[in-house]
Amino acid sequence: MSAVSLPRQARTTPTVPATYVRHLRSRLLEAEAGLTAMTERYDRTKARFDRCYARRGITPDTDIVNYINAKSMNPELAFWYAKVEHFQREVAAYGAALTGLDAARRMLADDACRAQEYGRPRGGRRALNRAG
């Protein structure tokens, strides 16, 4: 009794719903806008802080220890910097998700093409060993 071999069918590439990809893209754009806004807000707050302490003679160039202490004690700077970090993490997360989905789609599409290539005959055993 001989085994019947069925032809291999190429795997179909699983698809990610387009609505999910659009959702991720819109969230990425929102996170980028938030990052821009929070970075501007932090920069303005830090510039005001720097001007205030420069009038007292405390700058990173003249008195770095007191400058760092004052900066770490300023709650407004810490707040806006935390907001900047939050949006940086969001941009990284949504960007990584979209990049990963795209890479997986390309990788699975390549596998499907390879499965089709390997599934067809290539000339029998003689093609495998052509030494000589």
Side-chain angles (χ1 to χ4, degrees):
M1 191 148 127
S2 65
V4 177
S5 64
L6 298 174
R8 281 187 169 181
Q9 292 182 358
R11 291 184 289 180
T12 58
T13 307
T15 58
V16 177
T19 54
Y20 181 62
V21 174
R22 281 194 302 273
H23 168 74
L24 287 176
R25 284 183 184 152
S26 69
R27 294 296 303 218
L28 177 61
L29 291 174
E30 289 172 13
E32 287 174 341
L35 177 60
T36 301
M38 293 305 119
T39 300
E40 289 172 358
R41 190 76 187 251
Y42 174 77
D43 289 344
R44 285 194 309 266
T45 303
K46 186 166 179 316
R48 190 170 53 247
F49 169 83
D50 286 343
R51 283 191 306 272
C52 176
Y53 277 86
R55 278 180 261 156
R56 298 179 190 175
I58 300 173
T59 65
D61 297 331
T62 59
D63 190 358
I64 189 67
V65 173
N66 282 327
Y67 178 82
I68 290 173
N69 286 339
K71 191 174 167 188
S72 67
M73 298 296 286
N74 188 305
E76 191 177 12
L77 278 177
F79 174 78
W80 291 117
Y81 192 74
K83 290 287 191 178
V84 168
E85 287 180 325
H86 166 76
F87 283 104
Q88 285 174 337
R89 285 189 298 274
E90 276 198 0
V91 166
Y94 291 122
L98 286 167
T99 301
L101 287 173
D102 187 51
R105 179 191 53 78
R106 283 184 280 122
M107 187 170 52
L108 291 173
D110 288 348
D111 283 348
C113 291
R114 279 191 221 119
Q116 289 173 354
E117 284 178 17
Y118 294 137
R120 60 188 150 108
R122 294 185 177 237
R125 276 188 81 74
R126 285 182 287 163
L128 292 176
N129 198 0
R130 289 192 176 209

